[in-house]
């Protein structure tokens, strides 16, 4: 019994340190992401996933960072997790980024569908992203037409 009472404070301290470390990693990841340092953000968010894979904000930002680094399969995986979650409404650009990830993998039909979904559901968002989505659709159409000729 004495051993158990001795271990309880150690376990509590370990949990508190782990929680603090997770917050520090998340803060560093968000800082790198906000500064546009996507390689650094990618590393931090990957580390953060070791603590908790259910943080949708971290999954989303890891997916965006992976897109910026041309790691399209991982980007697609993480962004699909966000898209399929109950928190999807908090991430209005997820379909745009899935379009980018799909196009980067040569999945042009999927890319076009994601870009269309983004355009038709996101008219109040940043005009530059809407323009990029239209251009992404045009590129996907062009790529699909190349396969037909």
């Amino acid at each position: 019994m004495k051993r158990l009472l001795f271990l309880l404070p150690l376990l509590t301290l370990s949990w508190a340190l782990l929680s603090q470390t997770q917050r520090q990693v998340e803060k560093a990841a968000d800082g790198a992401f906000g500064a546009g340092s996507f390689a650094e953000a990618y590393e931090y968010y990957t580390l953060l996933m070791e603590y908790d894979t259910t943080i949708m904000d971290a999954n989303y930002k890891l997916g965006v960072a992976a897109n910026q680094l041309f790691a399209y399969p991982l980007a697609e995986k993480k962004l699909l997790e966000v898209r399929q979650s109950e928190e999807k409404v908090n991430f209005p650009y997820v379909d745009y980024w899935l379009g980018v990830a799909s196009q980067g993998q040569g999945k042009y039909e999927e890319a076009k569908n994601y870009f269309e979904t983004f355009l038709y559901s996101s008219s109040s968002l940043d005009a530059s992203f809407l323009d990029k989505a239209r251009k992404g659709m045009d590129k996907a159409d062009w790529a699909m037409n190349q396969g037909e000729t």
Side-chain angles (χ1 to χ4, degrees), residues 53 56 59 76-85:
T53 60
M56 286 302 120
N59 277 297
E76 180 181 40
K77 177 183 177 197
K78 290 298 170 184
L79 293 166
L80 279 172
E81 288 177 22
V82 173
R83 189 176 200 267
Q84 294 166 352
S85 76

Side-chain angles (χ1 to χ4, degrees), residues 114-129:
Y114 285 127
F115 288 134
E116 281 180 346
T117 301
F118 173 74
L119 284 169
Y120 294 121
S121 64
S122 307
S123 61
S124 64
L125 296 178
D126 185 328
S128 68
F129 276 89

Side-chain angles (χ1 to χ4, degrees), residues 31-45:
F33 187 88
S37 181
F38 296 109
E40 187 178 354
Y42 177 93
E43 293 298 324
Y44 281 123
Y45 286 121

Side-chain angles (χ1 to χ4, degrees), residues 78-145:
K78 290 298 170 184
L79 293 166
L80 279 172
E81 288 177 22
V82 173
R83 189 176 200 267
Q84 294 166 352
S85 76
E86 293 178 5
E87 296 178 46
K88 179 193 184 283
V89 296
N90 299 325
F91 303 96
Y93 292 89
V94 72
D95 286 315
Y96 169 79
W97 289 113
L98 276 165
V100 172
S102 296
Q103 196 163 44
Q105 297 177 81
K107 300 176 182 178
Y108 301 115
E109 188 68 38
E110 280 183 30
K112 182 179 176 183
N113 290 337
Y114 285 127
F115 288 134
E116 281 180 346
T117 301
F118 173 74
L119 284 169
Y120 294 121
S121 64
S122 307
S123 61
S124 64
L125 296 178
D126 185 328
S128 68
F129 276 89
L130 297 173
D131 187 50
K132 289 177 190 178
R134 285 185 202 95
K135 288 178 182 174
M137 283 178 55
D138 291 343
K139 289 178 184 178
D141 279 335
W142 180 85
M144 288 186 293
N145 288 334

Side-chain angles (χ1 to χ4, degrees), residues 42 63-75 100-101 104-105:
Y42 177 93
V64 172
N67 258 336
Q68 298 295 329
L69 300 172
F70 310 107
Y72 298 122
L74 176 64
V100 172
Q105 297 177 81

